[in-house]
Amino acid sequence: MELDKSFDPHSIESCWYPFWEKEGLFKARHLPSSKPYAILLPPPNVTGTLHMGHAFQHTLMDALIRYHRMRGDNTLWQAGTDHAGIATQIVVERQLEAQGTDRKTLGRESFLEKVWQWKEQSGSTITRQMRRLGSSCDWERERFTMDEGLSRAVNEVFVKLYRQGLIYRGKRLVNWDPVLQTAVSDLEVVAEEEAGFLWHIRYPIVNQPGEFLVVATTRPETLFGDVAVAVNPQDERYQSLIGKTLQLPLTNRQIPIIADNYVDSSFGTGCVKITPAHDFNDYQVGNRHQLTPINIFTKEAQLNDQVPQDYRGLDRFVARQKVLDEIEAQGLLAESKKHTLMVPRGDRTRSVIEPMLSDQWFVRMEGFAEQALELVASEQIRFIPENWTNTYNHWLTNIQDWCISRQLWWGHRIPAWYDKAGHVYVAHTQAEAEALAANSDLTQDEDVLDTWFSSALWPFSTLGWPEQTAELATYLPTNVLVTGFDIIFFWVARMIMMTSHFTGKIPFQEVYITGLVRDAHGQKMSKSKGNILDPIDIIDGIDLDSLVKKRTSNLMDPKQAKAIEKATRNEFPKGIPSFGTDALRFTFASLATHGRDIKFDLQRCEGYRNFCNKIWNATRYVLMNIPDHQIAYTTPPKVFNFIDQWMLSQLNQSIKEVTDHFTSYRFDLAARCVYQLIWDHYCDWYVELAKTSLNTSDENIQYSTRYTLIHTLETVLRLAHPLMPFITEELWQKVSPLVGKHEKSIMIASYPEFLSQHVNKEADQQIQLLKELVNACRTLRSEMNLSPKDRVPLYISGNTNQLTSFTEHLVHLARLSEVVFVDNQSLENTSASVAVVNEYKLMLKVEIDIAAEILRLNKQIEKLNGEITKAHQKLNNPSFVDKAPIEVVNQEKVRLSQFEKQVHELTQQVARLAE
């Protein structure tokens, strides 16, 4: 039954995960007698790898699933991956480019074969990494958004929404990526602050020679798409010009001057060019004033045939300079000044996103948004922390129709067919469309659906919808969604909309929004900054050269790579050591506050790796001190001594706290409570106290101690298991037979239940007194430079009746030769160091340096005087006295009295020493 001397996380991790999976312990059990508990895994991209944000969120989800599984709930952690249309297509296109070809050369069908090959080859990387993290998903139910079943659900939803009049095709303004040549969602657009210019251009006023309206713009190349110039109706400078006409520079067109409250009179000149086809705000202005937009760009962001001949075919930025040159030559450039602006770029291609009028498919959002707002307002769905409800409400209150079409090949192809006349037929299959059209000469729409469309169906498509399956009836709604704040609108809100519309149920009861994992300095982790940490590297360790190579290999800028290499070598001179999965998971849990940002520091991992070692060594000690491993300690002792009562009291109070913290998603507080229980209460105090009890000749005390040692250890292993699955499984397998438990895994053992009868305040107070006395003795030993080998007598005065029950423990823990009870008078006239603990005075009987002791006592008096000053300030503050609870005020008065009493006694002692 002995354990290895040292804890090796890799050996146990490689052993236990395959065992769990082989034994089917992750499966949803469908127990009719238990309540369902389900969590949806936010489906990571099929081509992705496990980054720190994934690892953080997956740790929290797995902790919840393991906790509820142990509580006997019918648990399902629904796993799966997303086909990630744009991301995956880019990866495969780059592979083809390296081979000297492209998708258009291959053709659609051959290209899609390549994508599927890539998905099969590399698509399961993240699920393999999830297994390394201990994620206990029901892998047999793993889904992929392009699976046959999920694709059927996507097709069904599209057709139904179209026939309900909730999907339509129209020409609208979208985010256009000229490199990908597709519309992209707002989430795929990164607005970055960049240095640019603000140009002031003179627009001649028609029929008023020599008079101009000066327009400020950051995009002069879009001038050819101008359909008006707008001013604020309250701007007195321009009120007389509203309704007049301007000559659009470099063209033969004339455009009106209009009034709109959108215009900020204080920005630029207070005159804004309105280009509805290439600016989202201008598009809204154009709609309000019935202005016809003019699209001047091709899909490649080159100027088209709507512009003068000399500009056609020019790249937009080449055209910008040509426009500026010609305007300046005509004397129409009034001013050019530097200006910092937000530039939208595609997160995949880094190209500048172009607002573009395009024929796209849309979902009408108005009714959906109202329903989604009501479900949260009525608290059928709850956000945690609650403040994220405001973000959700703000987005849905200002919602626009959802563009769901993408000009890609990889994805769910839109189930719409066209005849030669351009009539559209939406159907489940081409045969159905042909029947609707009474025409077999139909062409299917080339576009695919936005990835967010299929992932919006995730709560019910993964459970078998549109079939009315047992899983759908059992697990919908799921209990909690764990996700980031950045996709509340793009994913969370849309799941709420689609699930309620198609199933009549909510998708989840609670939404737990996690913070963003940043580096130790609070910086966002990114490849460009070179501060990314790979969770697998933290688990396994990585040498310095490999870490440098990993962070710099894909960087194009040699200077940037050099700077990142230098920073990496400074921060990790020896690389990253191996911490193991449990230490990483416990670190994540300890950081899971309800704040927005999380600073990840590897020093915490080091501390929690030491915590694993502490648990391991404590278990070794306990097993070595159980004389017969064939006997199970199933019968409680007739009477627990007060030390055992204290341990059981601390254990049960901790069980209640941890349970409460899991319920409120305070993983950080749960981790802290588990840590304090195991390290402080059990290892540092109870195990040490037990050593004295085990050495007694009283067999009843020995049995009580061994019973409490082994039962507490077995219980804390179950308590910690959701956070630290591997080490707790390994140790529990050794410990559980000794308490009569024979389940095949700790995973399906019951989670500890709070037993109020074991909470013993009297025992808590006794051990608290013992701790304070031991700590006071240790402080005296330190100040007197006594080595651990020096055993000296302790002289103590006070109510000694309370101390007789634990004198032997005090001797052991404080390394004393004996404890001598004396009266106060005996210690008042001594020149030795005296410590004060409540009503007790303590003195170690050794020769001392009087001068040094006076200095020590004066420092202690100075510190106590500082506390007295603080207490007086509080008690003299009417705001504190009037508003604080009476028990808090009384507690402060008691503290003040104790401080003053200690200062009086210490001052007398200094006086005696100085005589």
Side-chain angles (χ1 to χ4, degrees):
M1 193 64 74
E2 288 187 6
L3 288 175
D4 293 340
K5 288 186 177 180
S6 58
F7 167 57
D8 176 16
H10 298 293
S11 63
I12 65 173
E13 289 169 19
S14 60
C15 162
W16 285 116
Y17 198 92
F19 170 81
W20 293 329
E21 198 164 1
K22 180 183 177 183
E23 293 294 325
L25 300 181
F26 302 156
K27 292 181 182 177
R29 290 182 282 178
H30 302 291
L31 302 176
S33 59
S34 60
K35 63 180 181 180
Y37 184 87
I39 295 179
L40 297 165
L41 175 73
N45 289 353
V46 70
T47 58
T49 57
L50 193 73
H51 59 60
M52 292 293 280
H54 285 134
F56 173 59
Q57 292 180 352
H58 293 184
T59 293
L60 305 187
M61 283 183 267
D62 188 57
L64 289 169
I65 284 291
R66 288 179 183 270
Y67 168 74
H68 282 276
R69 185 184 288 123
M70 293 178 74
R71 289 180 65 88
D73 292 343
N74 178 5
T75 55
L76 168 64
W77 188 5
Q78 177 61 56
T81 48
D82 194 296
H83 65 280
I86 291 177
T88 306
Q89 180 156 324
I90 287 176
V91 168
V92 178
E93 287 202 59
R94 286 174 179 167
Q95 291 176 346
L96 295 176
E97 184 180 352
Q99 298 167 11
T101 187
D102 56 39
R103 67 181 170 103
K104 292 181 179 178
T105 302
L106 285 179
R108 187 167 191 144
E109 296 304 317
S110 297
F111 174 75
L112 291 178
E113 287 179 12
K114 293 284 187 183
V115 180
W116 277 107
Q117 290 171 12
W118 166 251
K119 185 266 178 185
E120 295 303 320
Q121 173 190 340
S122 305
S124 59
T125 298
I126 199 164
T127 56
R128 291 197 301 270
Q129 293 174 323
M130 285 178 65
R131 286 172 164 87
R132 291 296 316 280
L133 199 65
S135 300
S136 58
C137 302
D138 187 345
W139 294 113
E140 291 187 4
R141 291 190 51 79
E142 184 180 358
R143 298 291 183 263
F144 175 52
T145 49
M146 292 280 285
D147 283 347
E148 181 179 349
L150 272 67
S151 295
R152 180 187 170 201
V154 169
N155 190 287
E156 181 71 16
V157 165
F158 187 96
V159 173
K160 282 192 173 182
L161 289 177
Y162 179 80
R163 291 176 180 175
Q164 292 167 0
L166 298 175
I167 280 182
Y168 66 93
R169 182 171 171 80
K171 189 179 289 289
R172 297 282 297 276
L173 205 61
V174 297
N175 296 309
W176 185 265
D177 188 317
V179 174
L180 293 175
Q181 293 189 28
T182 181
V184 295
S185 72
D186 289 344
L187 193 64
E188 291 150 336
V189 178
V190 180
E192 297 179 342
E193 195 174 80
E194 298 182 16
F197 288 88
L198 187 64
W199 290 280
H200 290 194
I201 300 174
R202 298 185 179 97
Y203 282 47
I205 302 175
V206 175
N207 297 326
Q208 293 184 210
E211 294 189 29
F212 306 90
L213 204 57
V214 180
V215 174
T217 181
T218 59
R219 304 196 62 204
E221 69 277 13
T222 63
L223 172 149
F224 300 112
D226 290 359
V227 295
V229 167
V231 298
N232 191 289
Q234 307 303 318
D235 194 332
E236 295 180 357
R237 295 173 295 175
Y238 305 117
Q239 282 186 347
S240 63
L241 295 176
I242 295 171
K244 293 193 174 182
T245 305
L246 299 172
Q247 178 66 45
L248 182 62
L250 309 184
T251 73
N252 294 322
R253 284 198 296 118
Q254 295 181 354
I255 58 177
I257 301 172
I258 62 174
D260 197 281
N261 287 320
Y262 156 70
V263 181
D264 179 0
S265 300
S266 64
F267 179 77
T269 63
C271 302
V272 178
K273 58 194 288 297
I274 302 301
T275 319
H278 301 292
D279 184 277
F280 287 100
N281 290 316
D282 291 4
Y283 183 75
Q284 298 297 327
V285 174
N287 283 343
R288 285 196 291 272
H289 295 268
Q290 291 83 48
L291 300 171
T292 302
I294 301 173
N295 179 27
I296 64 166
F297 290 127
T298 66
K299 293 179 179 179
E300 297 78 14
Q302 296 173 347
L303 273 69
N304 62 21
D305 57 6
Q306 294 292 321
V307 304
Q309 184 67 43
D310 290 348
Y311 288 87
R312 295 175 186 175
L314 293 181
D315 176 82
R316 54 187 160 164
F317 298 116
V318 174
R320 172 181 294 180
Q321 190 56 53
K322 183 174 175 62
V323 166
L324 290 170
D325 290 343
E326 289 204 21
I327 284 176
E328 186 172 21
Q330 295 180 19
L332 298 178
L333 185 60
E335 187 179 1
S336 174
K337 56 183 180 181
K338 292 181 179 179
H339 176 70
T340 301
L341 66 158
M342 301 300 291
V343 178
R345 291 185 179 272
D347 66 342
R348 305 287 180 184
T349 61
R350 305 300 303 157
S351 64
V352 175
I353 294 298
E354 189 64 55
M356 185 87 75
L357 271 178
S358 176
D359 288 317
Q360 304 287 347
W361 289 90
F362 295 88
V363 178
R364 300 185 194 277
M365 286 283 99
E366 186 176 356
F368 280 116
E370 290 174 359
Q371 173 71 2
L373 285 166
E374 171 57 28
L375 289 172
V376 172
S378 62
E379 297 187 349
Q380 294 180 61
I381 299 172
R382 191 167 69 96
F383 278 87
I384 302 163
E386 191 177 356
N387 61 286
W388 289 112
T389 303
N390 297 329
T391 302
Y392 173 87
N393 290 341
H394 174 74
W395 278 337
L396 287 181
T397 302
N398 297 279
I399 199 169
Q400 302 293 320
D401 286 355
W402 174 18
C403 176
I404 57 172
S405 48
R406 297 291 181 265
Q407 289 64 57
L408 303 171
W409 285 356
W410 173 243
H412 296 100
R413 195 164 177 181
I414 290 176
W417 286 262
Y418 303 92
D419 61 19
K420 298 288 186 183
H423 300 118
V424 63
Y425 303 93
V426 171
H428 298 88
T429 64
Q430 181 162 349
E432 183 183 340
E434 290 172 353
L436 289 172
N439 184 345
S440 61
D441 188 13
L442 302 179
T443 303
Q444 187 172 359
D445 196 303
E446 292 288 325
D447 291 353
V448 299
L449 286 164
D450 176 16
T451 298
W452 295 107
F453 188 88
S454 53
S455 60
L457 318 184
W458 192 248
F460 56 99
S461 64
T462 52
L463 298 176
W465 189 93
E467 299 295 329
Q468 297 304 306
T469 63
E471 290 83 0
L472 192 66
T474 302
Y475 296 114
L476 191 71
T478 59
N479 294 74
V480 62
L481 176 73
V482 180
T483 190
F485 60 84
D486 53 335
I487 54 175
I488 289 176
F489 173 67
F490 293 96
W491 190 45
V492 178
R494 287 167 178 169
M495 283 192 289
I496 293 173
M497 294 173 185
M498 291 298 173
T499 307
S500 61
H501 185 80
F502 285 98
T503 72
K505 295 182 178 182
I506 55 174
F508 26 72
Q509 295 165 352
E510 295 177 315
V511 183
Y512 173 57
I513 301 295
T514 66
L516 178 68
V517 180
R518 297 181 178 270
D519 69 13
H521 309 291
Q523 297 293 311
K524 185 176 180 179
M525 293 187 185
S526 68
K527 292 179 181 179
S528 61
K529 291 179 180 177
N531 61 348
I532 283 179
L533 289 171
D534 184 332
I536 304 302
D537 290 341
I538 298 173
I539 293 172
D540 292 339
I542 185 172
D543 64 83
L544 178 59
D545 289 340
S546 298
L547 180 61
V548 168
K549 183 178 180 182
K550 198 170 192 175
R551 287 183 162 188
T552 59
S553 58
N554 294 323
L555 296 176
M556 304 299 292
D557 184 348
K559 289 184 178 179
Q560 183 186 22
K562 196 72 177 174
I564 289 173
E565 177 179 357
K566 182 180 178 181
T568 301
R569 292 186 181 278
N570 287 338
E571 187 173 5
F572 305 104
K574 296 181 180 179
I576 297 175
S578 168
F579 292 105
T581 299
D582 289 317
L584 176 61
R585 284 175 60 117
F586 205 83
T587 302
F588 280 135
S590 72
L591 292 170
T593 66
H594 281 186
R596 182 161 183 163
D597 293 330
I598 294 160
K599 292 182 181 179
F600 187 88
D601 190 343
L602 280 175
Q603 288 185 348
R604 277 203 183 227
C605 275
E606 185 174 354
Y608 293 131
R609 182 182 58 187
N610 295 339
F611 181 44
C612 292
N613 289 332
K614 188 84 167 179
I615 301 171
W616 187 270
N617 291 334
T619 305
R620 284 191 75 241
Y621 170 80
V622 172
L623 293 176
M624 289 168 62
N625 282 276
I626 300 296
D628 188 345
H629 290 168
Q630 303 305 313
I631 299 175
Y633 285 74
T634 56
T635 305
K638 293 180 180 178
V639 179
F640 287 101
N641 65 52
F642 82 95
I643 293 171
D644 299 334
Q645 290 173 2
W646 167 77
M647 186 65 253
L648 294 174
S649 180
Q650 294 301 312
L651 173 64
N652 277 276
Q653 290 177 67
S654 297
I655 290 170
K656 185 178 188 306
E657 289 179 28
V658 172
T659 301
D660 290 344
H661 294 325
F662 267 117
T663 302
S664 59
Y665 304 102
R666 288 307 302 263
F667 302 94
D668 55 330
L669 300 182
R672 183 194 302 173
C673 189
V674 168
Y675 183 92
Q676 289 175 340
L677 173 66
I678 296 176
W679 190 298
D680 298 340
H681 301 320
Y682 187 74
C683 296
D684 279 1
W685 287 101
Y686 183 71
V687 169
E688 291 302 315
L689 291 165
K691 291 177 181 178
T692 303
S693 300
L694 292 175
N695 286 330
T696 185
S697 58
D698 189 324
E699 292 183 358
N700 291 329
I701 291 179
Q702 287 188 8
Y703 183 84
S704 174
T705 301
R706 289 195 177 97
Y707 181 94
T708 307
L709 267 174
I710 195 70
H711 272 270
T712 301
L713 177 59
E714 188 274 336
T715 305
V716 298
L717 290 174
R718 285 185 286 126
L719 191 71
H721 175 74
L723 303 175
M724 310 171 77
F726 291 105
I727 189 173
T728 52
E729 179 74 270
E730 177 74 12
L731 298 179
W732 188 84
Q733 292 288 342
K734 302 289 195 301
V735 170
S736 58
L738 300 179
V739 298
K741 290 186 179 291
H742 301 289
E743 291 92 346
K744 68 174 65 174
S745 168
I746 191 174
M747 276 181 56
I748 53 175
S750 62
Y751 200 74
E753 294 284 345
F754 169 63
L755 302 175
S756 60
Q757 65 268 28
H758 282 306
V759 175
N760 189 319
K761 295 301 182 183
E762 185 178 346
D764 292 347
Q765 291 170 1
Q766 279 187 286
I767 297 299
Q768 182 60 34
L769 175 60
L770 173 59
K771 287 182 177 183
E772 292 178 9
L773 293 173
V774 169
N775 288 332
C777 290
R778 289 172 176 173
T779 300
L780 287 173
R781 293 181 66 94
S782 174
E783 292 168 349
M784 302 164 98
N785 294 318
L786 293 175
S787 75
K789 296 180 181 179
D790 293 329
R791 296 271 179 171
V792 297
L794 171 69
Y795 283 49
I796 185 168
S797 68
N799 182 8
T800 57
N801 291 332
Q802 292 189 51
L803 310 184
T804 53
S805 60
F806 56 66
T807 302
E808 58 183 331
H809 296 289
L810 183 57
V811 169
H812 168 63
L813 293 172
R815 297 184 176 275
L816 306 172
S817 60
E818 61 178 327
V819 174
V820 180
F821 297 118
V822 298
D823 57 29
N824 279 329
Q825 192 64 34
S826 301
L827 297 183
E828 286 178 357
N829 298 322
T830 181
S831 60
S833 300
V834 175
V836 178
V837 175
N838 298 333
E839 63 182 278
Y840 299 97
K841 293 180 181 177
L842 298 82
M843 180 191 75
L844 296 180
K845 191 67 174 177
V846 292
E847 295 299 324
I848 63 167
D849 181 332
I850 293 178
E853 178 63 5
I854 290 175
L855 180 62
R856 182 189 75 81
L857 292 173
N858 281 331
K859 286 184 178 178
Q860 193 172 347
I861 290 170
E862 182 181 356
K863 183 178 179 181
L864 287 167
N865 281 330
E867 295 297 327
I868 289 171
T869 300
K870 290 180 185 176
H872 275 302
Q873 288 174 345
K874 276 190 175 182
L875 294 171
N876 292 332
N877 182 351
S879 179
F880 171 75
V881 175
D882 295 340
K883 294 181 179 179
I886 187 65
E887 60 269 21
V888 174
V889 176
N890 289 337
Q891 184 181 11
E892 195 65 28
K893 289 178 180 178
V894 171
R895 291 178 72 248
L896 175 59
S897 176
Q898 290 175 344
F899 291 147
E900 290 175 336
K901 182 179 178 182
Q902 290 178 40
V903 166
H904 174 71
E905 292 171 348
L906 292 173
T907 302
Q908 287 184 324
Q909 192 174 342
V910 170
R912 288 194 298 272
L913 289 171
E915 290 178 353

